[in-house]
Amino acid sequence: MTAAPGVPVVDLDLGELRDDPYPAYAKLRHTAPLAWVPSVGRHVVTRYEDIVHAEKLPEVFSSREEGSLLLRTVGPNLLREDDPGHRRLRAAAEPPTRPRQVLELWARTFERTAHELLDRIAGRGEADLIADFAEPLAAANLAAVLGLRNASADDISDWSRAMMAANGNYADDPDIWLRAEHATRTIEAAVAEMAEAVRREPDGSVISSMVHAADPVRLTEIQNNVKVIIGGGVNEPRDVFGTGAQALLRRPDVLDRVLADPGLWKRVFEETARWVSPIGMYPRQLTRNHEIAGIALPAGSRVALVIASGNRDESVFERPDEFDIDRRHRPHLAFGGGPHFCMGAWVARHEVSALAWPLVFGRLKGLRLVDDVDDRMEGWVFRGLTSLHVTWQA
């Protein structure tokens, strides 16, 4: 597939996007808000208003994209499905992730896991909060919500990392595909075992909810959708936690305000998700001819909705490159929109803003960043810190 007629062609280096995509996005918003990017193989949409426009028209901007990397990685799933099929799968999987269920079913487990992880490191006086806390917390919590009692936090993390690498494998690295294939086969076996267990004894988990759905869900559908949830369910809370924690440690005045007023943790969460979107873009394919950003695209056109760019659109957010918990509220795009609004948003909000940040900053006294350590932020399809080295008074 090539550029549609009238669409500017813009060459972007995937390595530079991985290091920091935001300068390129800013330039695109001003000079080519709809552009064909050969390295991505898609028409890239970068303005907030155009992304929102597309999200409101799922019948035009279809999730069923031909050649989707996600489909290749995990098979048919609710993220790459349109209604009514999407609605059927979501209705089966979503109940355990709703706000009330998060509080009633999972909050105590989440808090216990957070304390256990902090107990392991509290006496050390130093840690990498990504590897030692945020990732195992997100993975253990996700295993509980999914109902994967036969998988460890390390298993969930490894599987997530392998599949997310494949879902962003625009360079077509064969080793990445092999690792993803091994992960998905292992997940299928684990899900099959637990699906049989909850068929006999329901436990309120996502797998149990899908097994007992009023509209029957096949085992292969459960397996594929668990794979999808494992991807976003680890990287979103992990990366929001790390980005927000680093931002606060670099701004002691803001951190002091939040510690004095715990109600501000919710603002920190939403601003962090806007500022560095953990999921930076998702693909769509046009079902019919349609105009966007002033250019007519033909049916079949492949489109990338770059929500990370939309979340830094100057026409919507003042000083968008700054982290500011006091900015005037405008809805961000970090969890998507329309029928595909992120199913795990309430899980992530609770485990990070209600538990993880308050417990870390409350228990690790004198927490500060380690000097002269390169805690890199990387990624553009998915973006977050690779590490977060800190010290405190043990």
Side-chain angles (χ1 to χ4, degrees), residues 142-214:
L142 185 60
V145 174
L146 288 173
L148 285 173
R149 299 191 300 272
N150 53 354
S152 68
D154 287 343
D155 290 332
I156 299 290
S157 292
D158 290 344
W159 297 339
S160 176
R161 200 175 294 112
M163 290 188 297
M164 290 304 93
N167 195 28
N169 190 21
Y170 290 93
D172 202 25
D173 183 329
D175 289 337
I176 290 177
W177 291 124
L178 285 173
R179 288 194 295 274
E181 183 177 356
H182 175 72
T184 56
R185 298 291 83 80
T186 309
I187 293 169
E188 288 169 3
V191 172
E193 180 182 358
M194 295 317 303
E196 187 59 32
V198 297
R199 195 176 303 279
R200 298 187 299 269
E201 290 188 46
D203 63 4
S205 68
V206 169
I207 292 174
S208 182
S209 181
M210 297 189 84
V211 165
H212 296 281

Side-chain angles (χ1 to χ4, degrees), residues 134-135 138-139 142 156-157 160 229-239:
E135 182 159 312
L142 185 60
I156 299 290
S157 292
S160 176
I229 295 168
I230 286 174
V234 174
N235 80 285
E236 284 186 281
R238 177 198 65 206
D239 294 343

Side-chain angles (χ1 to χ4, degrees), residues 28-44:
L28 286 175
R29 287 194 302 272
H30 287 96
T31 63
L34 175 66
W36 173 261
V37 179
S39 57
V40 179
R42 284 170 176 75
H43 298 88
V44 172

Side-chain angles (χ1 to χ4, degrees), residues 63 78-82 86 90 284 335 337-342:
S63 297
L78 59 83
L79 284 186
R80 292 295 169 264
E81 183 61 87
D82 297 326
H86 169 266
R90 178 141 183 165
R284 293 290 184 262
F335 292 111
H340 285 278
F341 179 80
C342 178

Side-chain angles (χ1 to χ4, degrees), residues 354-373:
L355 293 174
W357 281 331
L359 288 175
V360 165
F361 283 98
R363 287 192 55 179
L364 306 181
K365 303 301 182 183
L367 193 66
R368 65 179 181 83
L369 298 171
V370 175
D371 296 331
D372 302 322
V373 173

Side-chain angles (χ1 to χ4, degrees), residues 43 52 111 127 190 208 218 226 230 261 274 286 291 322 327 329 366 368 381:
H43 298 88
V52 171
E111 185 172 7
S208 182
R218 299 187 303 275
V226 167
I230 286 174
D261 181 4
R274 179 209 67 83
L286 266 65
E291 181 178 303
E322 296 180 19
R327 70 173 60 254
H329 174 72
R368 65 179 181 83
V381 179

